[in-house]
Amino acid sequence: MKETVKERRNSKRFRLRLAVVFTWRDEDGILQSSDGYSCNISSRGIYVETKCAPRPGNSVEMNVFLPQPAIDIRAVEIHAKGQVTRVDQGTRGQVRGFAAMNRTVLIREPLEHVLEQKDGAVQGSGTQQKVQDIGLHRS
């Protein structure tokens, strides 16, 4: 007889394999970083496949890089702050990935440095960053 497991998640999950860079502070307060790929993602959380993960309960900041949809349209990234809820390990104890619940989520254009050539000198025209808060703040 097959047991039915009730889905407890309220938000729609999307199976997307996107590059993810994440940072956290270890038990000594030292900033750590690593990268991986999303396995599934929603407004409330993300699962990241990686070989290095923060411990459950750690706060984590993640940048998820969306593909550029067309040459004339800029790429965007998802910036999320959350908490690690689970770390999965393989049969030999190596980290396979982690799940994190999001507290805040922003969709933004990546930072760009635009350089212009003026009178033979290279000058920066400034750093442009647009941030659109999509209103997904959690405590």
Side-chain angles (χ1 to χ4, degrees):
M1 183 167 147
K2 186 176 179 181
E3 226 178 280
T4 304
V5 177
K6 184 177 186 302
E7 178 64 52
R8 294 183 300 178
R9 296 175 183 93
N10 295 330
S11 58
K12 174 95 172 122
R13 289 183 290 163
F14 300 94
R15 293 188 179 276
L16 295 171
R17 184 168 173 80
L18 301 169
V20 180
V21 174
F22 54 94
T23 60
W24 74 97
R25 294 204 179 270
D26 66 15
E27 51 277 344
D28 296 322
I30 298 170
L31 188 64
Q32 302 291 327
S33 67
S34 191
D35 59 7
Y37 290 94
S38 64
C39 180
N40 64 59
I41 189 168
S42 76
S43 62
R44 299 185 66 94
I46 185 171
Y47 187 88
V48 179
E49 294 176 338
T50 184
K51 293 180 181 178
C52 180
R55 293 178 182 218
N58 274 39
S59 292
V60 63
E61 284 195 42
M62 299 163 285
N63 288 316
V64 181
F65 299 96
L66 300 172
Q68 186 172 353
I71 293 172
D72 59 341
I73 300 173
R74 290 186 182 175
V76 295
E77 66 187 35
I78 299 170
H79 178 79
K81 292 181 182 180
Q83 184 174 25
V84 176
T85 57
R86 180 180 88 239
V87 175
D88 292 330
Q89 296 181 338
T91 55
R92 295 185 182 147
Q94 74 278 16
V95 171
R96 288 187 6 215
F98 70 92
M101 184 172 59
N102 297 332
R103 288 192 297 262
T104 62
V105 177
L106 298 173
I107 295 177
R108 66 185 184 188
E109 290 181 0
L111 296 176
E112 291 183 11
H113 298 282
V114 181
L115 298 177
E116 295 177 357
Q117 186 83 22
K118 290 190 179 179
D119 299 328
V122 176
Q123 297 178 359
S125 64
T127 301
Q128 299 175 353
Q129 180 181 16
K130 280 187 183 175
V131 175
Q132 177 186 359
D133 183 344
I134 59 173
L136 301 172
H137 297 279
R138 297 191 180 31
S139 311

